[in-house]
Amino acid sequence: MIFNKVLRAGVQAGRRFQSTGPQAGVRAAIAASREAHGGFSFELTDQQKEFQEVARKFAREEIVPAAPSYDRSGEYPFPLIKRAWELGLMNGHIPEDCGGMGLGIFDACLITEELAFGCTGVQTAIEANSLGQMPVIIAGNDAQKKKYLGRMTEEPLMCAYCVTEPGAGSDVAGIKTRAVKKGDEYVVNGQKMWITNGGKANWYFLLARTDPDPKCPASKAFTGFIVEADTPGVQPGRKELNMGQRSSDTRGITFEDVKIPKENVLIGEGAGFKIAMGAFDKTRPPVAAGATGLAQRALEEATKYALERKTFGKFIAEHQAVSFLLAEMAMKVELARMAYQRAAWEVDQGRRNTYYASIAKAFAGDIANQCAADAVQIFGGNGFNSEYPVEKLMRDAKIYQIYEGTAQIQRLIISREHLGKFKQ
Amino acid sequence: MSARVLVGVKRVIDYAVKIRVKPDRTGVVTDGVKHSMNPFCEIAVEEAVKLKEKKLVKEVVAVSCGPQQVQETIRTALAMGADRGIHVEVSGKDYETLGPLQVSKILAALAKKEQADLIILGKQAIDDDCNQTGQMTAALLDWPQGTFASEVNIEADKLKVVREIDGGLETIKINLPAVVTADLRLNTPRYATLPNIMKAKKKKIANVKPADLGVDVSSRLEVLKVDEPPQRQAGVKVETVHDLVGKLKEAGRI
């Protein structure tokens, strides 16, 4: 009886989890309810709130004003990235013994959502660092971690995750880049494509095929390498001109007889596929968080506009057609946020979160596109115009249904996980 | 230099929040409303931390008076670079009536207890706009004051302060120990970086009660009522200057 009342009080107060915090009596109820069912709570810790504050302030004061010109010029937002690095908003996952803060995925997601609110192009450039680092964090030996993660905390360097090829995106097992062992080195030849930070990275995580036998299973045929970007034979292509997130640097990279020392193999020959896939469980929640940040921006811009613009004698927000659009955008943003938070929390608890991570990424990518399009709709003619901020959101949102696992691949994963539970 | 700086930080309603008067007209709504450090206090903390970075002072101590929640404000100061904090516990009715006179008594007592050489405060708080605490603190301690500071320099054992005054800028030289109040253009407060926020958790915040400092926080002021500013009335359009003069005479304005 009392248990239920305490639970309900806890959940009700918890609904305002991003506010200044509930009153003392309710706080006790939350603490009690947390005790009662082992930790599930919507409350952020003081430290998480402070981190979120810093990220929010930086995004709104420094990224938002600069984003439109970076979008127009396509210039790499290095000044913003350097600032983010100085504030500690980047490279959060790097373990403390390598000079990092060893943040969990949840904390990283909170920061990512705030930065994405500012500009997802800037945020993707920053996020690509996490993606490139993740294989080293989960599979690197001490020497590799100290060398390649350590340098990221000493100066604002970028890294990249090199897996996709012109002929193989979703079908990772279909990649053709070859790595042949010659003495103490591997010689790599192949073509990678759509590599974020391709032209700016100091080093890459590279996935290449080491077993030429086509019958060899994916779980044994590929190897993960760390490649220094200045290795002879590494040739980044031109910066690709994309629909959105235009300040992010995306390129093709050609590997021509690139020699990689065997010390740069992660775990060992044949372990690459599992490492590459394992990284996704930790990087999909932040990507979902980024999409949520974009959707939140769409919602806020549309709401502000709807409270200023008048038609037929009243603010457009007072017309139900518009207020219902805003309501649905709000529903989607709140749910996407909860989805990525659950996925991030699961992996931080040490559990396999593939199911939740895919749900979060699929949902957030879809709603980001819907919310951006709805925001343009609410702005009407102005929304279509580049003087207003929402058309950029629509262009930026599309990639969230494509990279880090397409919307279709996510559905494959979710159905497989879901059916797998039933078959047990 | 072995100087110790005391910086006062006040927890106020965030500047971006739309203020609402409580229905009983005894004050403004604070429950569930976003609070943050007073912007002028941020500038004061920044100045103190800058002095420490220039090695002109050795320790920066952040002080705040109020209930449990002011510890968040002290933590922000610690994350910006203050070395330790002092939380002077004042809550309930006492907190509602806490004003510059009481706070300046507390700061004066702390300055003596901590053997501070310099007190830096924001020039005023954005909730009450009193602009009194710095001046009262200096008077209670019989210390010189450099208020509305837009530049502060330590030269030998004196303080050179450039003050923003109505006529322009005034430069004064005052002896240490002294009280300085920060004006807008003194500096641009730094962000608390994430690593500093984490480090701040290890810094100490001491708890003190006003009674321990021998300070009586009872107020001699009573707030009778709080109202919103009067709604702006619509103007009246007139056709000619003659009409305008007539209307102004009617309204008793000329």
Side-chain angles (χ1 to χ4, degrees):
Chain A
M1 241 339 102
I2 301 172
F3 177 87
N4 282 330
K5 280 207 184 116
V6 160
L7 259 177
R8 219 174 304 143
V11 170
Q12 271 166 9
R15 254 178 228 133
R16 289 181 294 122
F17 73 105
Q18 275 179 19
S19 71
T20 49
Q23 300 311 299
V26 185
R27 211 188 285 243
I30 290 179
S33 80
R34 206 177 292 166
E35 294 262 47
H37 50 16
F40 193 98
S41 153
F42 288 97
E43 191 74 58
L44 296 178
T45 64
D46 284 341
Q47 183 175 279
Q48 285 168 335
K49 287 183 200 157
E50 285 169 55
F51 283 3
Q52 193 184 48
E53 265 309 306
V54 178
R56 185 168 292 184
K57 184 171 173 193
F58 174 68
R60 284 163 207 240
E61 287 178 21
E62 298 194 34
I63 300 183
V64 166
S69 83
Y70 279 114
D71 177 62
R72 271 192 292 275
S73 68
E75 194 192 326
Y76 195 67
F78 194 66
L80 288 173
I81 292 177
K82 185 154 177 276
R83 252 330 247 145
W85 182 87
E86 283 166 7
L87 294 175
L89 296 170
M90 262 173 78
N91 302 330
H93 310 295
I94 292 181
E96 288 180 80
D97 60 9
C98 298
M101 284 188 296
L103 293 184
I105 302 296
F106 191 96
D107 290 11
C109 284
L110 286 180
I111 295 167
T112 300
E113 187 193 330
E114 298 299 329
L115 297 182
F117 180 99
C119 173
T120 47
V122 174
Q123 189 275 316
T124 292
I126 293 175
E127 195 58 39
N129 262 22
S130 299
L131 186 54
Q133 291 162 5
M134 208 49 82
V136 181
I137 293 173
I138 62 180
N141 60 38
D142 283 338
Q144 291 163 335
K145 281 190 199 170
K146 285 254 155 58
K147 185 171 179 190
Y148 292 101
L149 300 177
R151 65 170 74 162
M152 309 295 283
T153 57
E154 282 161 27
E155 36 174 327
L157 297 173
M158 309 310 287
C159 65
Y161 180 90
C162 272
V163 171
T164 302
E165 295 184 355
S170 296
D171 184 13
V172 174
I175 62 169
K176 300 236 178 330
T177 300
R178 278 282 281 132
V180 180
K181 188 138 196 257
K182 286 206 170 112
D184 278 346
E185 297 177 325
Y186 286 83
V187 180
V188 177
N189 278 283
Q191 261 276 311
K192 295 294 183 186
M193 191 55 180
W194 309 126
I195 307 304
T196 306
N197 282 340
K200 307 286 174 191
N202 174 271
W203 56 268
Y204 309 114
F205 164 74
L206 172 73
L207 192 70
R209 193 174 183 111
T210 33
D211 191 318
D213 181 359
K215 294 211 203 72
C216 181
S219 54
K220 295 203 178 73
F222 301 95
T223 306
F225 299 92
I226 305 171
V227 184
E228 300 258 8
D230 59 6
T231 311
V234 175
Q235 294 154 25
R238 61 147 193 232
K239 180 186 149 100
E240 295 294 334
L241 295 167
N242 290 326
M243 175 200 242
Q245 296 193 8
R246 298 182 40 158
S247 56
S248 172
D249 182 283
T250 314
R251 297 181 197 240
I253 307 183
T254 306
F255 290 81
E256 195 175 316
D257 289 334
V258 175
K259 296 190 176 60
I260 307 176
K262 68 176 191 321
E263 289 76 34
N264 280 20
V265 170
L266 285 164
I267 299 185
E269 218 176 286
F273 191 81
K274 196 153 171 237
I275 300 172
M277 296 299 106
F280 282 143
D281 282 346
K282 299 204 170 203
T283 54
R284 273 179 189 151
V287 171
T292 308
L294 187 152
Q296 176 71 33
R297 177 82 186 271
L299 176 60
E300 275 187 38
E301 295 286 353
T303 308
K304 277 199 286 214
Y305 186 82
L307 291 169
E308 284 168 8
R309 175 87 178 181
K310 275 187 151 166
T311 195
F312 298 107
K314 26 187 201 177
F315 292 113
I316 63 172
E318 292 170 60
H319 291 288
Q320 225 171 42
V322 173
S323 66
F324 275 22
L325 269 176
L326 290 170
E328 284 171 17
M329 285 164 81
M331 284 157 60
K332 291 166 183 169
V333 171
E334 292 292 338
L335 293 172
R337 185 169 295 130
M338 284 196 248
Y340 84 68
Q341 288 182 336
R342 176 67 189 269
W345 182 83
E346 284 288 329
V347 76
D348 283 343
Q349 301 302 306
R351 292 193 282 270
R352 187 171 169 273
N353 71 335
T354 309
Y355 174 71
Y356 293 104
S358 280
I359 287 178
K361 200 269 171 182
F363 188 74
D366 289 349
I367 64 104
N369 277 275
Q370 292 161 17
C371 289
D374 286 343
V376 172
Q377 191 65 21
I378 289 173
F379 271 69
N382 286 339
F384 199 66
N385 179 273
S386 52
E387 300 274 312
Y388 292 82
V390 289
E391 57 83 24
K392 172 179 179 288
L393 298 179
M394 217 175 135
R395 287 184 288 109
D396 287 346
K398 189 56 195 160
I399 193 66
Y400 279 110
Q401 288 176 310
I402 300 172
Y403 67 16
E404 199 81 17
T406 61
Q408 289 68 31
I409 290 292
Q410 301 302 342
R411 283 158 171 79
L412 253 174
I413 296 172
I414 297 166
S415 58
R416 182 189 67 203
E417 295 285 317
H418 170 70
L419 291 168
K421 284 192 226 167
F422 273 70
K423 281 180 185 154
Q424 270 163 27
Chain B
M1 219 203 195
S2 58
R4 177 172 294 137
V5 186
L6 221 58
V7 182
V9 296
K10 187 177 181 188
R11 180 176 182 265
V12 298
I13 295 179
D14 187 83
Y15 75 91
V17 168
K18 194 162 190 284
I19 309 290
R20 257 184 277 271
V21 176
K22 286 202 285 210
D24 61 7
R25 290 152 93 216
T26 55
V28 297
V29 178
T30 53
D31 279 356
V33 170
K34 180 161 193 267
H35 283 66
S36 39
M37 190 190 289
N38 181 38
F40 294 108
C41 298
E42 281 181 2
I43 298 175
V45 173
E46 174 65 23
E47 197 59 26
V49 173
K50 272 203 166 98
L51 288 172
K52 193 175 97 160
E53 284 170 349
K54 287 190 214 158
K55 298 212 197 305
L56 293 169
V57 301
K58 212 175 99 190
E59 194 187 30
V60 177
V61 183
V63 182
S64 194
C65 307
Q68 182 66 14
Q69 290 96 310
V70 306
Q71 295 216 358
E72 291 164 17
T73 314
I74 300 176
R75 289 251 167 256
T76 306
L78 295 175
M80 285 171 72
D83 298 292
R84 60 184 167 91
I86 301 177
H87 170 202
V88 182
E89 292 169 10
V90 180
S91 48
K93 203 79 190 48
D94 283 340
Y95 182 58
E96 282 170 37
T97 57
L98 195 68
L101 184 58
Q102 295 81 12
V103 173
S104 53
K105 285 183 188 169
I106 292 171
L107 290 175
L110 276 173
K112 290 201 193 111
K113 183 163 176 267
E114 298 287 335
Q115 296 176 304
D117 303 285
L118 179 58
I119 299 178
I120 310 184
L121 306 174
K123 71 171 179 182
Q124 66 198 56
I126 60 171
D127 51 6
D128 55 20
D129 283 328
C130 283
N131 178 12
Q132 296 166 13
T133 308
Q135 292 86 336
M136 285 181 178
T137 309
L140 286 169
L141 287 165
D142 199 23
W143 286 6
Q145 53 183 267
T147 54
F148 309 105
S150 65
E151 223 184 285
V152 173
N153 281 307
I154 299 188
E155 288 176 7
D157 55 352
K158 290 205 203 297
L159 210 60
K160 194 169 102 174
V161 181
V162 178
R163 306 178 58 230
E164 296 202 0
I165 60 174
D166 287 347
L169 297 173
E170 178 193 54
T171 308
I172 59 171
K173 223 178 214 172
I174 54 178
N175 289 330
L176 285 166
V179 176
V180 168
T181 72
D183 208 326
L184 192 63
R185 280 155 281 272
L186 179 57
N187 60 49
T188 306
R190 66 193 62 194
Y191 287 84
T193 69
L194 263 55
N196 283 346
I197 291 174
M198 285 175 79
K199 282 188 206 141
K201 279 167 64 171
K202 301 198 183 93
K203 295 183 183 174
K204 288 204 172 20
I205 300 180
N207 287 317
V208 168
K209 291 198 180 40
D212 302 340
L213 301 168
V215 173
D216 168 21
V217 288
S218 57
S219 178
R220 291 124 161 104
L221 300 175
E222 188 195 332
V223 172
L224 297 176
K225 68 173 161 77
V226 176
D227 274 327
E228 294 203 355
Q231 293 283 23
R232 215 185 138 160
Q233 298 298 327
V236 176
K237 266 192 168 149
V238 292
E239 295 292 305
T240 68
V241 175
H242 192 71
D243 289 344
L244 176 62
V245 174
K247 284 241 184 256
L248 285 170
K249 278 199 177 141
E250 254 175 56
R253 298 295 185 193
I254 50 169

